[in-house]
Amino acid sequence: MKLFENIDFLTKDSINQSNIKLLSGMIEKGNVSHAYLFSGNNMKLLARLALIFAASINCPDRGCGDCIICRNTLSGVYPNVLIVEPEGRILIIEEIAKLQRFMNLTSYNPGKKICIIKESEFMNSAAANRLLKTLEDPPDEDSIFILLTEDISMLLPTVVSRCLVYSWNFKFIEESPERADFEIIEKYLDEGIKNIIMQKEDAGQPYTASLDLTLKLVEILKKVEAAVKADQEKEISEIKRSDFDRGDINRYIEILKLRNRRKISKFHNLGMSRVFDIISAWLEDILAVKLGAIEKTMNFSKNYSFISGKNKNVKTDRIFKLIKVIEGNKNYLSYSVNSELALDNIFLQLQNIYG
Ligand SMILES: [Zn+2]
């Protein structure tokens, strides 16, 4: 169980923990079902998870991580494990036929035959019906299907009902495509916070620095949203040109839109929580310097001289209050609070920590 109980990309919440407990229990007892459905918001991580589960099922040590079965399964080359994914956008019947042939073959390798189906909501109806027959009447005792989806609501209910369903919560993984945009956000924040603090010192100036910073951050969030929508238009026109039947085409378009909406809100929430974290780190630094901390112990030690040059008029009680406000905003991120307003308010309060 070494592999399965030490997955670094899962959050430590109770849903994940009970999933792991249930699944490892099945492996321990040799009581593995023939069809699973894993849902979660990141297909790459769902696939890694499915391979870890597959390795744990077939490894004599229940997922040691070191034996040839574990290593080959994790790198996707163990002959008993087949990974099926949509051709282009759509999972077609030929892929399901390939899967059926694989499942019907006699295996010469130890362990069960495991088929992992990525993006299973992208099956067209012909493929789904064919898969359904296989799920209802699996070829033998040693066949296991693991379906993966980011959109469980888009799968045929008849398919879902044949599977044991587990939903997973993943940690944010750094190497995301949004990384470059996050770096820009960090740069703007660093400059913007300094401007806000300096403008407060220069009391003759009107307070525009906080407004400037809010606008810049909102602009990045909008830019990402526009890029996702532009891609979506392209994908939709491709799907419309394909020769699938109307019903399938409408379903793909709906899935695509849903996925993109989720992508935008994920970026928005991650971006905003990154912003909140950075402001909190600044506040902690200002507080620490005020209390006589040394450079090394700061979150951003490069700001030491900037902060210590300005800490004469810092109101520590206002810093504590603002840290609480930020925490509160972070907790409500997924309830679509108006982030523009929230940011504006936080930056104004930041100005006022200098009495
Ligand atoms: Zn092993």
Side-chain angles (χ1 to χ4, degrees):
M1 294 282 112
K2 209 173 103 199
L3 275 181
F4 205 45
E5 279 158 5
N6 294 294
I7 304 175
D8 59 357
F9 54 83
L10 288 176
T11 59
K12 296 252 175 269
D13 62 56
S14 58
I15 296 175
N16 285 342
Q17 277 172 9
S18 99
N19 287 350
I20 288 178
K21 211 171 146 197
L22 287 167
L23 293 171
S24 2
M26 290 177 195
I27 297 173
E28 294 282 2
K29 291 189 199 104
N31 186 20
V32 178
S33 162
H34 75 275
Y36 293 88
L37 173 60
F38 286 179
S39 86
N41 67 5
N42 184 321
M43 188 47 58
K44 248 197 207 153
L45 296 180
L46 280 171
R48 270 166 70 184
L49 190 65
L51 288 172
I52 289 172
F53 184 45
S56 311
I57 292 170
N58 280 341
C59 164
D61 284 330
R62 312 270 178 252
C64 66
D66 297 320
C67 70
I68 188 83
I69 295 179
C70 282
R71 278 185 286 131
N72 284 350
T73 303
L74 293 180
S75 48
V77 297
Y78 191 59
N80 275 22
V81 178
L82 175 75
I83 302 170
V84 175
E85 57 189 316
E87 249 335 290
R89 277 246 143 253
I90 289 149
L91 196 54
I92 49 178
I93 197 156
E94 284 76 6
E95 289 294 319
I96 303 297
K98 185 169 110 191
L99 157 176
Q100 286 175 319
R101 281 196 300 278
F102 166 81
M103 285 308 204
N104 286 323
L105 283 176
T106 312
S107 168
Y108 298 102
N109 297 285
K112 301 196 180 262
K113 277 177 295 177
I114 300 174
C115 178
I116 297 170
I117 307 177
K118 286 166 88 173
E119 303 196 82
S120 54
E121 72 274 21
F122 276 103
M123 250 179 296
N124 65 13
S125 37
N129 285 323
R130 185 138 180 194
L131 177 69
L132 201 57
K133 289 212 179 74
T134 314
L135 292 178
E136 278 165 353
D137 184 20
D140 57 52
E141 288 281 283
D142 286 330
S143 305
I144 298 171
F145 295 88
I146 308 173
L147 281 65
L148 309 179
T149 182
E150 291 187 1
D151 278 305
I152 191 165
S153 63
M154 289 296 167
L155 268 164
L156 284 182
T158 39
V159 171
V160 178
S161 71
R162 300 277 162 221
C163 303
L164 294 181
V165 179
Y166 292 87
S167 60
W168 301 91
N169 296 316
F170 299 119
K171 279 186 201 161
F172 168 52
I173 298 294
E174 286 292 332
E175 69 262 23
S176 68
E178 299 92 4
R179 177 125 191 93
D181 292 301
F182 284 135
E183 274 166 13
I184 301 174
I185 288 181
E186 281 163 23
K187 199 181 122 254
Y188 280 165
L189 259 179
D190 194 55
E191 286 167 9
I193 290 175
K194 282 183 184 152
N195 285 338
I196 289 172
I197 294 173
M198 284 190 300
Q199 207 172 46
K200 177 69 190 188
E201 273 207 320
D202 191 357
Q205 294 286 317
Y207 296 162
T208 55
S210 66
L211 192 62
D212 278 355
L213 182 53
T214 305
L215 290 176
K216 268 186 181 158
L217 296 174
V218 170
E219 190 189 314
I220 302 176
L221 297 174
K222 293 227 165 97
K223 195 195 87 193
V224 170
E225 192 174 327
V228 170
K229 289 219 166 113
D231 282 349
Q232 172 172 298
E233 289 310 310
K234 249 193 275 165
E235 284 177 301
I236 288 180
S237 63
E238 264 169 45
I239 290 176
K240 281 185 174 159
R241 278 200 303 274
S242 68
D243 52 1
F244 293 102
D245 73 58
R246 276 257 93 183
D248 278 337
I249 287 179
N250 290 338
R251 210 168 62 85
Y252 301 142
I253 292 176
E254 207 181 316
I255 296 173
L256 214 65
K257 285 185 176 165
L258 216 122
R259 175 167 297 184
N260 287 334
R261 269 206 298 280
R262 206 179 40 228
K263 217 193 242 172
I264 290 169
S265 82
K266 190 169 143 199
F267 178 80
H268 178 268
N269 291 351
L270 284 173
M272 287 300 292
S273 71
R274 185 71 66 101
V275 168
F276 290 148
D277 285 345
I278 292 175
I279 304 171
S280 297
W282 262 90
L283 291 169
E284 285 164 21
D285 280 352
I286 294 171
L287 205 57
V289 172
K290 177 79 181 171
L291 300 174
I294 52 165
E295 201 172 328
K296 230 180 24 198
T297 59
M298 293 171 63
N299 293 310
F300 306 120
S301 51
K302 63 177 166 49
N303 294 335
Y304 181 79
S305 58
F306 179 84
I307 289 177
S308 62
K310 303 190 170 17
N311 72 356
K312 213 168 62 202
N313 297 322
V314 172
K315 301 264 179 277
T316 46
D317 55 328
R318 290 187 189 168
I319 297 184
F320 283 121
K321 211 180 121 203
L322 184 50
I323 290 177
K324 273 208 188 114
V325 169
I326 293 171
E327 277 309 305
N329 275 296
K330 247 185 106 168
N331 292 338
Y332 285 103
L333 260 183
S334 43
Y335 301 100
S336 73
V337 285
N338 187 334
S339 25
E340 218 167 316
L341 270 179
L343 277 177
D344 239 4
N345 172 34
I346 288 168
F347 292 139
L348 274 172
Q349 292 196 41
L350 178 65
Q351 261 168 343
N352 292 330
I353 66 169
Y354 292 92

